Amino acid sequence: MTSSSVTTGWDPMDRWLAARGRTRLGGLAIYIGSVCILGALYYAAAKAGLRLAYLHGAVTALWPPVGVGIAVLVLYGPRLWPGIVIGDLLVGDYSTPLGTVLGQTVGNTLEVLVAAVLLRRLIGDHTALERVRDVFSLVGCAIVGTLISASFGATSLRLGDVIPRSEFGQVWRTWWLSDLSGALVFAPLILTWASRGLARLSRRDLLEGLALLVILVLLAEVPSQRDVPYVVFPGLIWAALRFGPRGAATALVLVSSLTVWNTAHNAGPFVRQSITDTLLSSQLFIAAAALTSLVLAAVTAERERADDALHANEERLRSVVQSMAEGLIVRDRDGVIRDCNAAAEQILGLSRDQLRGRRPEDVLGPASDENGRPLAASRLLGMRR
């Protein structure tokens, strides 16, 4: 087996370890450190999610660790999955039976691992979510992964007699939507910024982005606007159109976090009579906001790439035309000259600016064929477009 076949398909973490961990012991130390960092990130995201929880931390409408875990495993490889186990065990609720905690940890780990592996296979290196199919791949993989966690979590609670049988369905649905919301909100934030960073963002763009975030906060927090559920959507659309996936993901995190925070404090348009209805309304809002902004951002990115490719092809064609030894004149459908190459300028003795806007007969005057019959000047010059 050749060395090239050995390195084909390596994860970014594998290449990073190979570059920095020259010895097996050094590589192992770096790997353990990376796993611990992921565990710390997962734990911190979980603690932040609990700050957004309802009923004094008992129920969450948005679970950020799922998105953090999926994004990190997609970017740096599934082999870091032990970090998910560490972070989940650290944040576990040990007031419940140990078997319940372990069952939930297994489900949460499989959730992130399965979603990340599937997403890596579907999008490859296109982690910037700049294609519509990449966004829908994220949605599909998140749905599959979160179904696993919800099933493990609700079943573990039921087997541990933490919840009665009558509440199993509601707990399962809340668990699933909470994890799905976390995946759709926080995974794009990490994936897009890790892929693009601050590239192609000028100082003016940064100022505009900051102004947009301030406007979103005002729309979400001004008391007179809190009862209008979708008043933030123009801001989300602005972020998607102007800043692409990075802007859409950043605006989405801000709007979703403020929405959940306000709802947890009995404020905003999503507060209902029951906690179940409150959770469902806020989670559906987050899902709608995520799909709208991310898909629109991907469509915008695709159109920008298509425009860039079109301009590049036009430049290549123009350079070919300019280098031709034969004279070439381009006319519109009305027969008016619109462009020409350098050879045509030399043959006719007129510059491009002098030829533009004129008709062939104005340039050549009367012409005849070899038999002396009149010949239209338009047959001698260029082509129509």
Side-chain angles (χ1 to χ4, degrees), residues 242-272:
R242 286 288 295 117
F243 301 103
R246 288 176 298 183
T250 304
L252 179 62
V253 168
L254 179 63
V255 168
S256 300
S257 300
L258 290 175
T259 298
V260 174
W261 175 267
N262 291 333
T263 306
H265 290 79
N266 293 318
F270 302 108
V271 178
R272 301 291 187 267

Side-chain angles (χ1 to χ4, degrees), residues 206-216 238:
L206 294 176
L207 291 176
E208 181 183 350
L210 180 60
L212 172 59
L213 295 180
V214 172
I215 291 174
L216 285 173
W238 177 10

Side-chain angles (χ1 to χ4, degrees), residues 222-295:
V222 172
S224 61
Q225 300 291 346
R226 283 190 177 183
D227 292 331
V228 185
Y230 296 93
V231 71
V232 296
F233 266 61
L236 293 175
I237 294 173
W238 177 10
L241 293 177
R242 286 288 295 117
F243 301 103
R246 288 176 298 183
T250 304
L252 179 62
V253 168
L254 179 63
V255 168
S256 300
S257 300
L258 290 175
T259 298
V260 174
W261 175 267
N262 291 333
T263 306
H265 290 79
N266 293 318
F270 302 108
V271 178
R272 301 291 187 267
Q273 294 296 325
S274 67
I275 185 64
T276 301
D277 293 339
T278 298
L279 284 167
L280 182 60
S281 61
S282 58
Q283 289 168 334
L284 291 179
F285 167 79
I286 292 172
L291 283 175
T292 300
S293 56
L294 293 177
V295 170

Side-chain angles (χ1 to χ4, degrees), residues 4-226:
S4 60
S5 63
V6 172
T7 58
T8 300
W10 275 19
D11 292 327
M13 178 56 65
D14 293 325
R15 293 192 291 269
W16 195 77
L17 291 174
R20 290 166 174 78
R22 299 299 181 182
T23 66
R24 179 175 299 181
L25 182 61
L28 179 61
I30 294 175
Y31 170 72
I32 293 175
S34 302
V35 168
C36 292
I37 292 174
L38 175 56
L41 290 175
Y42 189 96
Y43 176 79
K47 285 298 186 181
L50 291 176
R51 296 292 298 271
L52 301 175
Y54 306 162
L55 297 179
H56 306 290
V59 183
T60 59
L62 182 67
W63 192 234
V66 181
V68 173
I70 291 175
V72 172
L73 293 193
V74 167
L75 291 171
Y76 299 104
R79 63 180 298 177
L80 295 180
W81 66 266
I84 306 299
V85 178
I86 295 172
D88 199 77
L89 288 175
L90 289 175
V91 79
D93 181 9
Y94 291 95
S95 64
T96 60
L98 181 60
T100 298
V101 175
L102 294 178
Q104 292 173 348
T105 297
V106 171
N108 292 338
T109 303
L110 288 175
E111 164 189 51
V112 173
L113 184 60
V114 169
V117 170
L118 290 177
L119 188 58
R120 283 166 60 90
R121 289 183 177 274
L122 290 175
I123 70 174
D125 295 331
H126 300 281
T127 57
L129 302 181
E130 293 179 337
R131 302 182 302 179
V132 174
R133 69 176 185 178
D134 296 338
V135 174
F136 283 112
S137 295
L138 171 63
V139 174
C141 295
I143 290 175
V144 173
T146 52
L147 287 174
I148 296 174
S149 178
S151 300
F152 269 83
T155 302
S156 298
L157 291 173
R158 178 68 191 100
L159 293 178
D161 289 328
V162 179
I163 59 173
R165 180 180 299 177
S166 60
E167 295 181 2
F168 181 86
Q170 290 185 352
V171 170
W172 186 94
R173 185 186 68 183
T174 300
W175 193 302
W176 176 57
L177 290 176
S178 174
D179 283 15
L180 181 61
S181 299
L184 296 181
V185 170
F186 288 93
L189 178 72
I190 299 174
L191 290 174
T192 55
W193 282 100
S195 301
R196 290 289 179 262
L198 295 176
R200 300 180 65 178
L201 286 178
S202 64
R203 178 178 298 180
R204 179 178 179 180
D205 292 332
L206 294 176
L207 291 176
E208 181 183 350
L210 180 60
L212 172 59
L213 295 180
V214 172
I215 291 174
L216 285 173
V217 172
L218 292 177
L219 290 176
E221 292 298 316
V222 172
S224 61
Q225 300 291 346
R226 283 190 177 183

